[in-house]
Amino acid sequence: MAALLEHESQIFLELFHRDGLVVCARGLGIDRLLLRFLRLYCEPASLVLVLNTSPAEEEYFIDQLRSDGVVHLPRRVTNEIANNTRYEFYTQGGVIFATSRILVVDFLTDRIPANLITGILVYKAHRIIESCQEAFILRLYRQKNKQGFIKAFTDNAVAFNTGFCQVERVMKNLFVGKLYLWPRFHIAVHSFLEKHKPEVVEIHVAMTPAMLAIQTAILDILNACLKELKRYNPALEVEDLSLENAIAKPFDKTIRHYLDPLWHQLGAKTKSLVQDLKILRTLLLYLTQYDCVTFLNLLESLKASEKAFGENSGWLFLDSSTSMFVNARARVYRIADEKLNQKGKGSGSEKRDVKKENELKRELVLESNPKWEALREVLKEIENENKNSDNLGGPGQVLICASDDRACAQLREYIITGAEAFLTRLYNKTFGKDEKAGEVWINDRKATKSKGNAKPDTGPQAKKAKLTASSKQNKQKKQQDRTLIQMIGKTEEEKREEVEVEDNKELSGSQESNTEQTIPEDFDFSLPSDCYYGIFKDPLTIIHPLQGCGDPYALTRVLHEVEPRYVVLYDAELTFVRQLEIYKASRPGKPLRVYFLIYGGSTEEQRYLTALRKEKEAFEKLIREKASMVVPEEREGRDETNLDLLRDARPASVSADTRKAGGQEQKGVQQTIIVDMREFRSELPSLIHRRGIDIEPVTLEVGDYILTPDICVERKSISDLIGSLNNGRLYAQCVAMCRYYKRPVLLIEFDPSKPFSLIPRGSLQPEISSNDVTSKLTLLTLHFPKLRILWCPSPHATAEVFEELKQNHPQPDAETAMAVTADSEILPESDKYNPGPQDFLLKMPGVNAKNCRALMTHVKSIAELVTLSKDKLAEILGNAANATQLFDFIHLTYAEALAKGKSKK
């Protein structure tokens, strides 16, 4: 492990001496800080729990510690470790990664020696809200252990920007009293990184006129959609719906945050506007990220899709939309008859040719991406420098970073085959199949190719110059006997493959096969990431995506393994830019040059600058909050005075009831609820425990919560409810609950941030329909008259209802609850009634849930029922009509039943 940098050592020492929450700027190495703490506690003498890490992150930390020579590596607690060996597992000490569900259950059942825990490290601490599992674990820990430490880490300052006193609430849930802020502009960070600056070359690439026109058109449409949205919903916060925010990454979350609670009240127009904003943001991203063919394909698919065309809010009919389509097509091809209308654009011979050709004849333009040209220049410059790099110890490695897999795959193919070959293959794959006269067009294209591409009207002069330069570049780079023409031939064969351009895996797969031909077979470089795309072996040149890897640390691993001298940022990403600064500072004396490719005056540049500004503002707000923050002495919960550790939901203002023993304090029975193990993924157990009710976690086959010996509750979130109604699981669960408990309850729990409404307003159907959720619920209640339904707007409301339902009732028994299984015969009334005949009886005409009990009390078996007279049945059922129905059904002969059936037909 590399030694900590100056500012990192300072953070480490501050946090080591006093528990707190560290908020770092993105990319400043919060993971390096956590690693240092893990290394410190990796010994059997201490027991440290780590919360909120994903399996990929745990793998990374363990790998780093292993390579650092740590003997007692962190261990993971999974469900594979048996319950009875869990206590022993914990007492072996060291650092332990565990899922929050396992830890909650272990704390509640005392399988974990709480008093022996040295402390807890919390990663991604901005997520710790009051009702989450991690907050529940910390509360249980603090109730049982007053000495241990709690140290929390996060690098997401922007997350504290939403809500009232968000950082204070998070600190309250974490039981920490100190806040450490380390922004990029912190004097210690700034002065240290200034000393070790990498050499940065910023290349502002100019967008082509067509790209600029498209960008302007999209921004105009975005603006129009935002104005419409504000007009239909005047209550929306105007500041957050600005055009600058609309092009930033978190805009979707912002808009959902405002609209989700009233989604069921919104009209169709608002909903379609939200959908359109999403589509337009995707278009903006595709414009700068990918090539002209991919962009046009997405655009055409919007117009071709009837659904999108019919449901759009009207932006497809704006002038800007027309301009966008015209320019997007102009980047890919020109239709021959367009040249007739454009004066002076074509010669007379061209006009004659055009008249002979049908209008399907397209002339490919295939505008190359300006960033590709810039990248080619950069690679050429690096190659020249590597030729004269003896004084630096040989040629330097190159790392090219693009946003995602598709961008990486495109860059790789561009560098290997050249722009025209790549775009031609992509065009044929995307549009060649869809044209009506596809075959005619392909033959015609081949004929044009055989004559040679030297015609002055085939495309812009710059494109041809670019292609020849690109072919020279490729030949110099690879120094192989394969020519560019052969490579293009290879792509011509490839274009016959039936591959959709939308499918990244297929696309990268086709590039894999292409590369095998053009790169020597000994190109086998084992890297710790499986996401990279190699291009050249000597010097090693790697393309790697910034996002979308299964392993969040894939790029960090590659950076430290490859140790590049040159890094080309094809797409800018704030976190990785900072990571490069730290990487350079941790290797003093070794050169690092960073090439920053960005479209000047584009939304891409604006998006990057907005992200920077948002983080700076978030830190400034945190600094102001910290200055005025009042932290009570008992915040850390090290004594009994912290009110957050009390488990009583009753407010202090509740007066004593003087009717009961003159207002003396009553000694109540400790309330208990039995909870199914699988329910610990939800917030509810934490909130129940907070109300002073004990929780017994066991594995239940019937129900999720047992409140009393009679009340069994099956909890369903909305998505779960719809799913289990569709697959019939809920019916089976209700059958089991009704059979074994007197008061079965179906709890329908809503998300507090979503509307408290099952279906949108106005979509309630007058008739019962098999597809409708409300119809299915109606049928469920008709079928199970005993079943009660609880509608709860949030888990907080559910916890309150549970407490009220339990009042003045006996406590449930865990052994009995566990003994109840879907096929067990231990019934509450098994000595009285047999469930099989009981179900059979309920299916008979004239018998219902109200009179069924009376009938079973008087009649021993179905055989005896058949012998009863009509008068006797009327006496038992208490209703002559029901008695007649049942009597006629029992005594109906087979011949009569057949005759009845025929007459109905």
Side-chain angles (χ1 to χ4, degrees):
M1 189 192 296
L4 285 182
L5 306 177
E6 269 179 36
H7 65 276
E8 290 175 337
S9 302
Q10 202 176 326
I11 305 171
F12 175 78
L13 289 170
E14 280 181 357
L15 191 59
F16 179 72
H17 291 301
R18 172 88 193 270
D19 289 1
L21 165 63
V22 172
V23 183
C24 256
R26 277 194 181 285
L28 277 193
I30 200 82
D31 49 326
R32 288 161 59 93
L33 188 62
L34 179 61
L35 257 173
R36 181 58 57 167
F37 274 103
L38 293 180
R39 187 182 178 187
L40 183 68
Y41 296 113
C42 273
E43 53 181 24
S46 58
L47 171 58
V48 173
L49 304 176
V50 185
L51 300 184
N52 236 356
T53 48
S54 67
E57 287 162 346
E58 290 163 14
E59 196 63 51
Y60 171 73
F61 291 137
I62 292 169
D63 282 353
Q64 291 294 311
L65 292 166
R66 188 183 290 121
S67 63
D68 206 32
V70 173
V71 181
H72 293 279
L73 289 170
R75 292 169 300 145
R76 289 173 174 170
V77 179
T78 61
N79 49 11
E80 291 167 13
I81 297 166
N83 294 345
N84 49 1
T85 60
R86 216 58 85 66
Y87 189 90
E88 201 181 311
F89 185 87
Y90 289 121
T91 49
Q92 288 168 12
V95 172
I96 287 175
F97 293 114
T99 62
S100 46
R101 190 168 74 91
I102 287 174
L103 276 181
V104 166
V105 173
D106 286 354
F107 266 111
L108 289 170
T109 53
D110 287 325
R111 281 192 209 124
I112 188 166
N115 56 326
L116 299 179
I117 297 174
T118 316
I120 294 182
L121 300 170
V122 186
Y123 198 44
K124 292 182 282 214
H126 58 276
R127 295 183 183 171
I128 309 296
I129 56 167
E130 186 193 1
S131 54
C132 75
Q133 294 294 358
E134 286 74 23
F136 188 17
I137 291 166
L138 292 167
R139 199 163 70 239
L140 290 169
Y141 164 66
R142 265 290 171 252
Q143 281 165 0
K144 297 177 179 184
N145 183 329
K146 304 289 182 189
Q147 270 69 49
F149 66 75
I150 296 173
K151 302 184 193 300
F153 311 82
T154 182
D155 61 353
N156 191 344
V158 182
F160 296 111
N161 234 350
T162 53
F164 178 68
C165 291
Q166 183 70 7
V167 70
E168 205 166 335
R169 288 194 293 185
V170 168
M171 286 170 68
K172 189 178 169 187
N173 297 330
L174 287 165
F175 297 98
V176 295
K178 201 93 174 93
L179 177 64
Y180 302 104
L181 299 175
W182 287 84
R184 172 65 179 80
F185 55 82
H186 191 293
I187 189 70
V189 180
H190 183 72
S191 60
F192 176 72
L193 291 180
E194 279 296 303
K195 290 180 208 165
H196 304 278
K197 275 203 303 193
E199 184 189 343
V200 178
V201 181
E202 272 193 39
I203 302 171
H204 286 265
V205 184
M207 296 169 86
T208 63
M211 285 174 80
L212 272 172
I214 293 169
Q215 181 178 284
T216 310
I218 297 175
L219 290 175
D220 285 347
I221 299 166
L222 257 175
N223 213 6
C225 286
L226 286 169
K227 279 181 182 169
E228 281 286 283
L229 196 62
K230 288 174 196 168
R231 191 163 68 83
Y232 280 99
N233 304 279
L236 286 178
E237 189 68 44
V238 180
E239 281 179 23
D240 286 339
L241 292 187
S242 66
L243 191 59
E244 185 191 356
N245 285 340
I247 59 176
K249 277 183 183 172
F251 182 69
D252 285 336
K253 281 184 186 172
T254 310
I255 204 156
R256 297 298 296 188
H257 171 73
Y258 285 121
L259 295 179
D260 266 353
L262 41 115
W263 191 253
H264 64 302
Q265 296 171 1
L266 299 176
K269 185 77 174 171
T270 304
K271 288 180 181 176
S272 74
L273 278 168
V274 171
Q275 188 58 32
D276 289 342
L277 285 172
K278 199 172 178 180
I279 291 168
L280 290 164
R281 281 162 45 79
T282 309
L283 283 171
L284 263 183
L285 201 66
Y286 269 53
L287 179 66
T288 51
Q289 209 98 306
Y290 307 123
D291 57 277
C292 56
V293 179
T294 309
F295 179 77
L296 182 63
N297 185 35
L298 175 67
L299 203 55
E300 294 288 10
S301 70
L302 291 178
K303 212 161 190 177
S305 159
E306 264 182 58
K307 190 164 182 264
F309 192 73
E311 288 182 5
N312 97 89
S313 56
W315 67 267
L316 275 173
F317 308 112
L318 294 174
D319 292 344
S320 303
S321 171
T322 313
S323 150
M324 175 168 68
F325 274 94
V326 167
N327 281 296
R329 286 173 186 146
R331 290 178 69 203
V332 180
Y333 59 80
R334 287 194 298 237
I335 292 177
D337 62 353
E338 275 181 18
K339 283 181 279 184
L340 291 175
N341 304 330
Q342 295 167 359
K343 290 174 186 174
K345 281 272 173 124
S347 65
S349 62
E350 276 178 348
K351 288 180 187 176
R352 281 195 299 277
D353 289 342
V354 164
K355 283 174 187 171
K356 288 174 190 171
E357 297 288 338
N358 61 27
E359 58 179 26
L360 277 169
K361 172 84 171 80
R362 290 175 177 182
E363 197 174 292
L364 289 192
V365 175
L366 296 179
E367 178 183 276
S368 176
N369 200 328
K371 262 197 194 178
W372 292 354
E373 174 67 8
L375 177 65
R376 194 180 59 71
E377 295 287 338
V378 165
L379 289 176
K380 200 167 187 179
E381 184 183 315
I382 292 171
E383 187 192 358
N384 290 336
E385 288 206 6
N386 273 338
K387 283 176 185 170
N388 315 314
S389 60
D390 296 335
N391 56 339
L392 293 171
Q397 324 270 43
V398 184
L399 175 64
I400 303 169
C401 292
S403 60
D404 55 17
D405 270 322
R406 182 190 280 184
C408 290
Q410 289 195 350
L411 285 184
R412 180 187 193 199
E413 190 168 353
Y414 160 70
I415 291 168
I416 290 167
T417 64
E420 183 163 352
F422 167 49
L423 289 173
T424 307
R425 184 185 72 78
L426 209 52
Y427 180 85
N428 291 334
K429 198 185 282 183
T430 312
F431 295 108
K433 295 195 297 256
D434 300 335
E435 293 175 358
K436 291 172 191 168
E439 285 178 31
V440 177
W441 180 83
I442 286 168
N443 292 336
D444 192 51
R445 179 81 187 132
K446 280 180 183 170
T448 317
K449 277 212 158 196
S450 65
K451 288 173 195 168
N453 286 339
K455 290 196 294 182
D457 60 318
T458 309
Q461 289 291 333
K463 189 193 71 179
K464 283 194 295 179
K466 202 177 289 182
L467 179 67
T468 51
S470 144
S471 65
K472 281 179 198 166
Q473 161 75 4
N474 279 327
K475 283 175 194 168
Q476 286 172 1
K477 267 279 185 191
K478 287 191 275 294
Q479 295 171 340
Q480 291 171 353
D481 43 350
R482 264 177 82 83
T483 63
L484 184 66
I485 307 302
Q486 284 173 303
M487 288 175 213
I488 292 172
K490 174 82 177 80
T491 56
E492 286 289 333
E493 290 166 27
E494 275 185 351
K495 73 186 176 193
R496 296 197 188 96
E497 295 168 5
E498 296 287 309
V499 184
E500 282 298 317
V501 76
E502 290 298 327
D503 192 332
N504 288 348
K505 287 181 186 171
E506 285 285 326
L507 186 67
S508 57
S510 67
Q511 273 129 19
E512 293 286 342
S513 59
N514 183 9
T515 320
E516 281 165 19
Q517 297 280 332
T518 54
I519 288 179
E521 282 180 17
D522 61 346
F523 184 62
D524 179 28
F525 190 82
S526 62
L527 276 179
S529 162
D530 55 354
C531 303
Y532 74 94
Y533 296 73
I535 317 173
F536 309 118
K537 172 92 174 181
D538 193 23
L540 182 67
T541 304
I542 296 286
I543 304 182
H544 200 287
L546 289 162
Q547 285 130 8
C549 299
D551 176 6
Y553 292 102
L555 196 51
T556 313
R557 290 174 191 259
V558 168
L559 191 63
H560 289 282
E561 186 115 349
V562 175
E563 295 198 336
R565 189 183 301 161
Y566 305 100
V567 176
V568 184
L569 288 174
Y570 184 82
D571 290 301
E573 211 246 336
L574 182 61
T575 310
F576 188 60
V577 171
R578 299 252 177 83
Q579 218 171 314
L580 286 172
E581 287 188 295
I582 297 291
Y583 167 71
K584 171 71 177 86
S586 62
R587 299 162 69 250
K590 292 188 179 177
L592 173 69
R593 183 185 295 170
V594 179
Y595 290 93
F596 219 102
L597 302 185
I598 203 154
Y599 283 117
S602 70
T603 51
E604 179 193 33
E605 184 180 33
Q606 186 57 52
R607 206 177 293 124
Y608 180 75
L609 294 173
T610 304
L612 261 176
R613 182 178 59 79
K614 282 271 169 71
E615 189 185 75
K616 185 169 177 283
E617 284 172 3
F619 268 113
E620 285 168 353
K621 185 184 174 189
L622 283 174
I623 291 164
R624 286 195 300 274
E625 274 190 37
K626 185 182 177 181
S628 59
M629 194 186 289
V630 178
V631 181
E633 277 183 5
E634 68 274 6
R635 166 64 57 80
E636 293 190 4
R638 294 185 187 275
D639 47 33
E640 296 301 329
T641 52
N642 188 325
L643 297 176
D644 288 321
L645 294 175
L646 296 179
R647 291 177 53 211
D648 190 3
R650 285 178 302 172
S653 56
V654 172
S655 56
D657 187 355
T658 52
R659 289 184 175 186
K660 290 182 180 175
Q664 290 176 26
E665 194 175 328
Q666 302 288 307
K667 269 205 168 186
V669 180
Q670 177 55 46
Q671 301 281 346
T672 308
I673 289 180
I674 294 164
V675 183
D676 183 33
M677 289 281 195
R678 288 159 292 218
E679 277 300 301
F680 284 94
R681 291 189 185 95
S682 71
E683 300 173 1
L684 189 53
S686 160
L687 298 170
I688 293 170
H689 187 268
R690 188 74 186 263
R691 299 190 81 85
I693 301 170
D694 279 351
I695 288 174
E696 257 189 89
V698 296
T699 305
L700 297 175
E701 273 201 40
V702 176
D704 291 329
Y705 296 85
I706 312 296
L707 307 189
T708 71
D710 295 340
I711 302 176
C712 169
V713 180
E714 180 68 39
R715 188 188 73 91
K716 295 285 179 197
S717 63
I718 299 302
S719 56
D720 195 15
L721 174 75
I722 294 165
S724 53
L725 275 172
N726 288 341
N727 62 22
R729 194 160 52 92
L730 186 56
Y731 176 83
Q733 288 168 332
C734 289
V735 166
M737 284 202 299
C738 292
R739 181 166 290 171
Y740 301 112
Y741 292 95
K742 283 183 184 171
R743 292 184 184 172
V745 177
L746 172 64
L747 163 68
I748 299 172
E749 193 177 80
F750 288 76
D751 184 340
S753 64
K754 300 273 170 69
F756 185 35
S757 162
L758 187 61
I759 54 168
R761 186 173 58 179
S763 64
L764 197 61
Q765 297 182 351
E767 297 292 323
I768 280 191
S769 149
S770 61
N771 302 325
D772 190 32
V773 180
T774 45
S775 297
K776 287 177 180 173
L777 272 178
T778 311
L779 291 170
L780 194 74
T781 47
L782 286 171
H783 202 89
F784 301 104
K786 280 205 303 184
L787 185 70
R788 297 286 173 264
I789 298 183
L790 281 179
W791 301 84
C792 291
S794 71
H796 291 267
T798 309
E800 196 176 333
V801 170
F802 277 11
E803 190 177 20
E804 287 172 12
L805 286 173
K806 280 189 66 60
Q807 280 175 8
N808 306 321
H809 282 91
Q811 304 311 310
D813 178 47
E815 295 294 325
T816 314
M818 284 170 72
V820 174
T821 60
D823 52 355
S824 70
E825 290 300 321
I826 308 166
L827 297 167
E829 297 167 347
S830 57
D831 52 335
K832 270 190 174 182
Y833 310 122
N834 196 353
Q838 186 179 341
D839 290 347
F840 180 74
L841 197 62
L842 277 165
K843 299 281 189 294
M844 289 184 172
V847 181
N848 54 39
K850 289 176 184 172
N851 57 29
C852 181
R853 196 54 50 98
L855 193 60
M856 289 191 292
T857 311
H858 288 87
V859 184
K860 282 183 183 175
S861 65
I862 300 280
E864 189 184 330
L865 177 68
V866 176
T867 61
L868 296 179
S869 66
K870 192 184 286 190
D871 296 337
K872 183 67 178 169
L873 281 173
E875 187 188 319
I876 295 169
L877 295 175
N879 184 312
N882 284 346
T884 308
Q885 252 186 316
L886 181 58
F887 185 82
D888 290 350
F889 172 71
I890 291 168
H891 295 93
L892 188 71
T893 63
Y894 180 65
E896 285 172 348
L898 274 179
K900 252 188 189 178
K902 281 177 184 173
S903 64
K904 274 184 186 175
K905 283 176 187 174

